[in-house]
Amino acid sequence: MPLTLYFHPLSSYCQKVLIALYENDTPFERRVVNLRDPADAAAFKKVWPCGQFPVLQDGDRAVPESTVIIDYLDQHFPGKSRFIPADAEQGRQVRAKDRFFDLQLHTHMQKVVGDRLRPQDRRDPHGVEQARAKIDVALGMIDTEMAGRSWAAGDHFSLADCAAAPPLFYIDKLFPLADRHKNAAAYLNRMLQRPSYARAIEEAKPYFSMLPI
Ligand SMILES: N[C@@H](CCC(=O)N[C@@H](CS)C(=O)NCC(=O)O)C(=O)O
């Protein structure tokens, strides 16, 4: 039975998983979820009651969480790109980077974008200001690190790059990276040259008008 990905092309966490799938040309069926459609959202919640995508379905097993999905793909559907090094120490470094990009960058990007989608009287300017400050700290760290490396966790493409590119892309749309974070901007450009990520972005483009940025 083929894999099925529940996702939306515009979703940054879904792009994280699409990069991994496209890296290895892993076959899968696409199930685009429209959370704004109550019937579609309810159908998706039967698969994953938390209602967040991406979710990968493999037979009767539903695998939520982008990091776990990529780990699952690496274990069960390995291809030419390996996402988590077998070496324990290198693997730990890649996982640590993945956590960094999700928790110190992606979460805060979502806060800024999510706030713009709220009605004017339900916005949270203080929370957005805090998120922007945290994004700035993370970008400074990324910029310093990327001065000396090609990929997010070192010399090899990995899970960390799948995690890094989508939030950097949307942050670049909000606050252009090239102004203050040239190494981060160059890294994002490298990612955009990579066919797997270029494809994910091409597929998201028809939906860009839905973005509040
Ligand atoms: N920790 C989750 C985060 C997934 C996530 O935040 N997905 C967003 C889209 S990018 C979502 O489903 N938002 C809808 C919601 O939270 O109701 C992962 O890594 O997969």
Side-chain angles (χ1 to χ4, degrees), residues 11-13 35 51-54 65-66 102 110:
S11 149
S12 43
Y13 276 108
L35 290 177
Q52 280 196 322
F53 39 51
E65 289 294 326
S66 55
D102 275 15
Q110 280 187 321

Side-chain angles (χ1 to χ4, degrees), residues 28 38 77 105 133 163 203 208:
F28 68 100
F77 300 89
L105 197 65
E203 292 172 355
F208 275 3

